[in-house]
Amino acid sequence: MKRGLLSSILLFLFFSASAQNVKLDYYLPDDVTYDTGITKPSSILGFEVGEWHVNHTQVVQYYRAIADQSPRATLITYGQTYEKRPLIMLAVSSPKNIKQLDKLKEQRGGLRYPDFKSDLAGMPVVMYMGHSVHGNEASGVNASLLSAYHFTAAKEIEEDLENIILLIDPAINPDGINRFASWVNSHKSYYPNGDRNNRELNESWPRGRTNHYWFDLNRDWLPVQHPESQGRIAQLQAWLPNIVLDFHEMGTDNTYFFQPGIPSRNNPLTPAKNFELTEKIATYHAKYLDKIGSLYYTKESFDDYYFGKGSTYPDIQGAVGILFEQASSRGNLQESDYGKISFPFTIRNQFTTALSSFDAATDMRVELNTYMSDFYKEAKAEYTEDDNKAIIFGAIEDYGRTFHFADILLQHNIQLYSLEEDVTLNGVPFKSGKSFIVPLDQPQYRLVKSLFESRTTFQDSLFYDVSTWNMPMAFNLNSMSLSSKILNLAKVVNVSNGLSFKEGEVFGEAGAYSYAFEWDEYYTPKALYKLMDLGYQVRVSHKEFQSKDKKNFGRGTILVEKGNSEKSDQAFFEDLKTIASKTGVNIYALSTGLTGGVNLGSPSISVLKKPSIALLVDDGVGSADAGEIWHLFDQRMEIPITLMATYRMSVADLNRYNVIILPTGDYSILGEKEAEKLKSWVQMGGTLISRGAAMSWLADNDIAVFNFQNPDYSDTTSQKQYADLENSRGAKVTGGAIFKATLDITHPIGYGYNNAEIHVFKQGNQFLEPSGNPFANPLMYAESPLASGYVHPTNLAMMKNKGVVQVSGKGKGKTIGFVDNPNFRAYWFGTNKMFLNAVFFGQTINNASTR
């Protein structure tokens, strides 16, 4: 046995006894001396790194102390989490470089332009070190303390720091980190035994992986829907790091993984040179891990396909992303197939690869800067060969969705123009002020191609994440590639430096007979709820009508009157103006109820009740799905909801709610008593909204009628290669693809949509048979459903003409089931409205259509 490996095993055994005995020397290199003027972590924390799980406040305290003490460092605050924790990173370099960081950062921006003249040999390399985007992968954030100390205090690296700038982000997900640290520290024993059944090692729902709204932030680098991602991406776009380190943890019964990942699963838009550089950097990791005797592997797991993860987003930016995956102790000590794994051991491995990455970056500095420069030169050349020169996108009826997609592009430093005159291209109208143009002749050419790409053929059929992320489909926007730049053909305005959301307005005067707004705009549900909350009477029209001045109003139009409100006409009017301004919704005064089509007192216009909403959470519920729903209401629509734990179902008074939402999940925790209680609530007139697996539980308990069909993967082959087992089974998983569906836009679920064809995002293999009542199927997959992404042929055949959204009735109430996720990762703006329609208009659906 090699001496290094023996040492590693002995250290495993040593730390199995107690992490209380850990010393700083365990982590640090033997041949390095440290500046005594730099505070060691334990002086701030009150314990040694690895003895306890550090919380975010302690991390910030230590980083601030380092920044105050070291001429090599300065602290950058780049945002704030939902829970108001600061987002920080430490810039570390030579004192000379620290004094001119802004100048060096500005110089790096030139790397994106082919005509950039600079001394690449003299330019510092930049390495971003991102820790613990998953809050319960705690070895990363704790290792960041060692990196901050080492790189500011180690005397032997002083010369190397002349040629490198380190951006050490200690805690990408502060809210999740704090949640996990609190759990583990609250259950820590001073003499742990590593038993996997220990409460310390089994977090309660929703666990610490995610942010405040239970989102996986490692899937948000591209959608940038959360403040943690928005601040971080702004920094990366400003700094253009050459290497991006992404520190993670994986299952306990593993060793240590570093990239490259599986070669056949690289995104084809990523240059082959990126893979070569990743392999070269990997030799440094191997050397360092060999020295301390840690087991590791590479090229057998994970992929570099989805550009929305921390290790792949850099690959489309001329940088090299490196994923590290450490077998997790998930606490202070845990049994594993390799023996008992201690928390200090996991921290040491992560810090060791930070050291190896530093060596790789300094040795490869010129090569990495040259690669980034070449990346953008090659992108320019690809544009020259591309038949398309620009992309136009927009939605005639809805500025909100269009704005939010444009905002995503701008956050990635993509050049953008607003269309300022109406045009029709190939029969498709694009409206002034509601359409944007992306020129392809720009540095982010490859990223733009990725965001607008539709792909249905792949080298590999297994994906670690989604297989497509076509943004116009996600936002339900018209988009078109153009052979001309169009910038010279139509009036446009460059909005690359920023875009402001357009306010809505009220057309007409105070004292009108009624006021109306159509349901097209994205934030109409927000406007509707605010009017309800102020006590005004609101109604929805199920038929079209025309005002006296010949303006047409479609199905789903909202009518607003003072109702029982005692406010004056002018006060009512001022409220309307305020709401219109904040939501972007245009409201129109109507002078008479004698309108064309139906009149304003028609029985085809329903009075709406203010939603009182309970969202089931906790054990059994899919936290990601629940979090997306919570975020939609709380952050986007500003609608209060109750997060009801599943264990409260037996004692809660359900009559205070008229809408209950069941995210996808395993509801076996709810017994017969709870099922009967929920059924009675529906029968009395409640609107029950369910997602995914929750629909199956409702059907099994006779609360709703949903019928599902299982795919047939039977194979008559008598023998197959054992080595192909994993790939064969994995290929049958629908990891994430986009499909075409047909929406009944006359149904309340379809209000606000003007086109029956819509794109939905699907994960998993749940296939819903159409209801026997054809009026109960407002959304169904198309005959040829695949739009973009990978799907197994058997699954594709199963989807044709199957249900996506279905309504089931019982008594006076309705259950609305969504097979696919209309709120996927908070960026599937195109289907959000169907979910909100279920909340606001479910109460109005004709019972005859649901049975």
Side-chain angles (χ1 to χ4, degrees):
M1 181 180 291
K2 291 183 178 179
R3 183 177 179 181
L5 183 56
L6 177 59
S7 299
S8 179
I9 292 173
L10 290 174
L11 285 167
F12 251 133
L13 296 174
F14 175 77
F15 285 107
S16 295
S18 174
Q20 304 304 315
N21 300 319
V22 67
K23 304 295 183 185
L24 186 61
D25 290 345
Y26 169 65
Y27 303 109
L28 301 178
D30 296 332
D31 54 352
V32 176
T33 54
Y34 291 90
D35 182 350
T36 57
I38 302 300
T39 298
K40 295 178 180 179
S42 59
S43 298
I44 299 293
L45 305 178
F47 55 86
E48 193 52 81
V49 173
E51 286 185 356
W52 293 82
H53 281 59
V54 69
N55 66 40
H56 186 255
T57 299
Q58 293 166 327
V59 172
V60 173
Q61 287 175 332
Y62 184 64
Y63 270 54
R64 285 176 175 164
I66 289 287
D68 288 342
Q69 295 168 359
S70 175
R72 296 179 181 178
T74 187
L75 193 69
I76 298 170
T77 301
Y78 64 84
Q80 190 179 63
T81 72
Y82 290 115
E83 296 178 15
K84 305 305 178 184
R85 293 187 173 90
L87 294 158
I88 64 167
M89 65 182 186
L90 195 70
V92 178
S93 190
S94 69
K96 176 184 176 182
N97 288 341
I98 290 296
K99 291 178 180 178
Q100 55 177 349
L101 280 184
D102 289 340
K103 178 182 178 182
L104 293 172
K105 181 167 57 176
E106 184 179 354
Q107 287 176 349
R108 291 193 60 77
L111 289 171
R112 280 186 162 163
Y113 295 92
D115 57 353
F116 173 61
K117 305 298 182 185
S118 180
D119 177 18
L120 293 177
M123 179 180 288
V125 68
V126 175
M127 183 167 75
Y128 170 86
M129 305 165 65
H131 301 85
S132 298
V133 67
H134 297 142
N136 58 3
E137 297 177 3
S139 59
V141 62
N142 285 268
S144 78
L145 300 168
L146 300 171
S147 289
Y149 174 68
H150 173 82
F151 291 118
T152 56
K155 295 180 179 180
E156 284 75 8
I157 66 169
E158 188 170 3
E159 186 176 337
D160 289 332
L161 289 174
E162 294 287 347
N163 295 311
I164 188 169
I165 299 169
L166 299 176
L167 304 173
I168 309 176
D169 191 330
I172 295 177
N173 179 9
D175 296 347
I177 286 166
N178 253 42
R179 192 184 315 138
F180 181 67
S182 177
W183 175 270
V184 173
N185 290 337
S186 296
H187 298 93
K188 173 185 168 67
S189 296
Y190 276 76
Y191 299 96
N193 61 12
D195 184 349
R196 294 190 181 197
N197 295 315
N198 197 336
R199 183 168 170 80
E200 174 196 341
L201 307 178
N202 296 277
E203 309 165 68
S204 64
W205 194 99
R207 295 169 287 280
R209 178 182 177 90
T210 52
N211 76 342
H212 176 78
Y213 287 101
W214 311 327
F215 279 78
D216 183 339
L217 290 177
N218 196 41
R219 305 303 189 267
D220 194 47
W221 291 64
L222 208 55
V224 284
Q225 293 302 300
H226 302 283
E228 301 92 338
S229 307
Q230 292 162 359
R232 182 176 65 258
I233 293 302
Q235 289 295 317
L236 295 183
Q237 288 297 331
W239 275 106
L240 301 184
N242 302 91
I243 297 178
V244 172
L245 307 183
D246 190 20
F247 292 94
H248 286 256
E249 291 180 359
M250 55 182 168
T252 302
D253 294 322
N254 288 285
T255 58
Y256 193 88
F257 170 85
F258 52 83
Q259 285 180 313
I262 298 173
S264 62
R265 299 179 196 168
N266 286 344
N267 194 297
L269 292 173
T270 302
K273 180 67 175 177
N274 177 283
F275 191 76
E276 295 172 14
L277 292 170
T278 306
E279 283 194 296
K280 186 173 180 179
I281 294 170
T283 64
Y284 288 80
H285 307 322
K287 177 183 176 182
Y288 271 69
L289 292 171
D290 284 346
K291 187 175 180 180
I292 64 170
S294 286
L295 297 173
Y296 56 85
Y297 73 102
T298 186
K299 295 185 181 180
E300 293 184 64
S301 298
F302 306 100
D303 63 50
D304 276 342
Y305 191 79
Y306 172 48
F307 287 132
K309 297 191 281 108
S311 60
T312 47
Y313 180 77
D315 296 342
I316 199 68
Q317 305 289 325
V320 178
I322 305 290
L323 171 67
F324 298 117
E325 293 276 356
Q326 164 64 49
S328 180
S329 65
R330 275 297 185 270
N332 293 285
L333 188 71
Q334 185 166 176
E335 297 166 348
S336 81
D337 289 347
Y338 293 88
K340 292 182 179 180
I341 183 171
S342 72
F343 188 41
F345 177 82
T346 67
I347 296 170
R348 188 190 193 205
N349 281 342
Q350 301 281 40
F351 175 59
T352 297
T353 51
L355 298 177
S356 61
S357 300
F358 180 83
D359 274 8
T362 52
D363 289 350
M364 298 169 61
R365 175 176 59 86
V366 177
E367 186 176 11
L368 289 165
N369 279 330
T370 301
Y371 168 67
M372 180 171 284
S373 178
D374 289 345
F375 177 92
Y376 290 105
K377 288 178 181 177
E378 291 165 4
K380 176 72 171 180
E382 289 174 16
Y383 160 76
T384 303
E385 296 296 320
D386 198 330
D387 291 335
N388 297 313
K389 301 303 176 184
I391 300 172
I392 188 171
F393 66 88
I396 293 177
E397 72 284 356
D398 184 0
Y399 175 74
R401 281 184 285 121
T402 312
F403 166 83
H404 282 294
F405 178 37
D407 183 58
I408 289 176
L409 298 179
L410 292 175
Q411 290 185 68
H412 295 294
N413 203 15
I414 292 172
Q415 296 169 17
L416 191 65
Y417 291 79
S418 173
L419 181 68
E420 297 299 311
E421 64 175 284
D422 294 350
V423 298
T424 299
L425 303 169
N426 297 328
V428 179
F430 291 92
K431 190 171 180 63
S432 169
K434 291 188 176 182
S435 302
F436 294 90
I437 299 164
V438 187
L440 294 182
D441 186 10
Q442 61 170 300
Q444 292 286 49
Y445 167 82
R446 283 169 167 162
L447 179 58
V448 171
K449 296 292 282 187
S450 168
L451 292 169
F452 287 84
E453 177 185 65
S454 296
R455 186 183 294 269
T456 56
T457 57
F458 303 87
Q459 182 181 356
D460 200 323
S461 57
L462 272 71
F463 297 88
Y464 183 68
D465 202 79
V466 300
S467 59
T468 183
W469 50 93
N470 180 293
M471 288 295 183
M473 292 181 182
F475 282 77
N476 190 32
L477 299 175
N478 292 324
S479 70
M480 188 179 298
S481 296
L482 306 172
S483 58
S484 165
K485 293 181 180 179
I486 202 177
L487 305 182
N488 300 325
L489 305 178
K491 184 181 179 182
V492 298
V493 173
N494 191 333
V495 294
S496 301
N497 290 328
L499 189 63
S500 298
F501 188 77
K502 292 181 180 178
E503 299 179 351
E505 55 184 308
V506 180
F507 293 88
E509 304 296 333
Y513 179 85
S514 182
Y515 295 88
F517 59 91
E518 293 191 273
W519 197 245
D520 298 335
E521 274 290 338
Y522 182 76
Y523 286 107
T524 47
K526 182 177 179 179
L528 173 57
Y529 187 86
K530 288 187 178 298
L531 289 164
M532 290 175 160
D533 206 36
L534 290 170
Y536 298 122
Q537 178 175 278
V538 292
R539 299 178 295 148
V540 61
S541 177
H542 301 291
K543 291 186 178 180
E544 300 167 344
F545 65 90
Q546 188 180 71
S547 66
K548 186 178 181 180
D549 58 0
K550 305 302 181 182
K551 177 171 174 55
N552 294 315
F553 292 89
R555 289 183 176 86
T557 291
I558 300 299
L559 292 159
V560 192
E561 292 91 27
K562 283 196 300 182
N564 294 324
S565 170
E566 297 181 357
K567 287 192 175 182
S568 67
D569 287 347
Q570 189 59 43
F572 176 33
F573 189 71
E574 293 302 319
D575 284 342
L576 290 173
K577 288 200 297 183
T578 298
I579 291 171
S581 173
K582 290 182 177 180
T583 61
V585 174
N586 289 329
I587 302 175
Y588 298 86
L590 303 177
S591 60
T592 176
L594 189 62
T595 48
V598 298
N599 301 143
L600 296 194
S602 167
S604 296
I605 301 176
S606 300
V607 176
L608 293 174
K609 296 177 182 177
K610 177 181 171 182
S612 177
I613 307 166
L615 171 68
L616 261 63
V617 299
D618 219 306
D619 287 349
V621 177
S623 59
D625 200 37
E628 288 158 352
I629 297 167
W630 179 22
H631 176 269
L632 175 66
F633 285 102
D634 202 43
Q635 285 292 317
R636 295 255 176 84
M637 299 301 159
E638 299 179 4
I639 297 173
I641 62 173
T642 296
L643 305 181
M644 183 191 292
T646 48
Y647 67 81
R648 293 285 304 172
M649 272 291 290
S650 61
V651 297
D653 178 11
L654 300 188
N655 292 323
R656 67 179 296 162
Y657 312 106
N658 52 27
V659 177
I660 296 178
I661 304 172
L662 273 64
T664 191
D666 175 11
Y667 287 86
S668 58
I669 191 172
L670 300 180
E672 183 177 339
K673 175 184 175 182
E674 289 84 1
E676 285 298 319
K677 185 176 182 179
L678 192 59
K679 182 194 297 185
S680 176
W681 176 84
V682 173
Q683 289 173 326
M684 293 300 293
T687 299
L688 183 61
I689 301 171
S690 60
R691 249 278 300 137
M695 297 171 64
S696 297
W697 181 81
L698 294 172
D700 291 343
N701 286 274
D702 191 35
I703 299 172
V705 179
F706 297 122
N707 296 306
F708 298 94
Q709 185 175 347
N710 296 320
D712 182 8
Y713 298 122
S714 59
D715 191 342
T716 58
T717 306
S718 59
Q719 185 181 45
K720 285 190 172 183
Q721 292 289 319
Y722 178 79
D724 295 336
L725 175 63
E726 183 179 351
N727 286 347
S728 177
R729 291 193 172 185
K732 296 168 186 172
V733 175
T734 307
I738 303 173
F739 298 92
K740 291 178 283 188
T742 303
L743 177 65
D744 177 4
I745 60 176
T746 72
H747 192 286
I749 295 297
Y751 287 171
Y753 293 89
N754 295 298
N755 191 331
E757 183 176 305
I758 194 168
H759 292 97
V760 298
F761 193 88
K762 185 175 188 64
Q763 286 182 311
N765 295 340
Q766 186 181 42
F767 303 105
L768 176 65
E769 291 287 358
S771 170
N773 185 336
F775 298 103
N777 303 306
L779 185 66
M780 297 179 65
Y781 295 117
E783 173 68 25
S784 300
L786 181 61
S788 186
Y790 169 79
V791 62
H792 189 276
T794 300
N795 296 334
L796 181 60
M798 286 288 298
M799 293 177 64
K800 295 179 180 181
N801 301 314
K802 289 292 194 300
V804 185
V805 178
Q806 199 169 106
V807 186
S808 173
K810 190 172 286 290
K812 298 178 181 178
K814 271 81 66 175
T815 298
I816 304 168
F818 289 78
V819 171
D820 298 329
N821 187 353
N823 310 308
F824 182 67
R825 291 182 181 169
Y827 77 89
W828 214 263
F829 281 72
T831 48
N832 282 162
K833 181 157 284 184
M834 281 188 285
F835 191 81
L836 293 163
N837 286 352
V839 171
F840 283 97
F841 303 148
Q843 58 188 278
T844 73
I845 296 174
N846 191 316
N847 286 335
S849 72
T850 67
R851 292 169 171 78

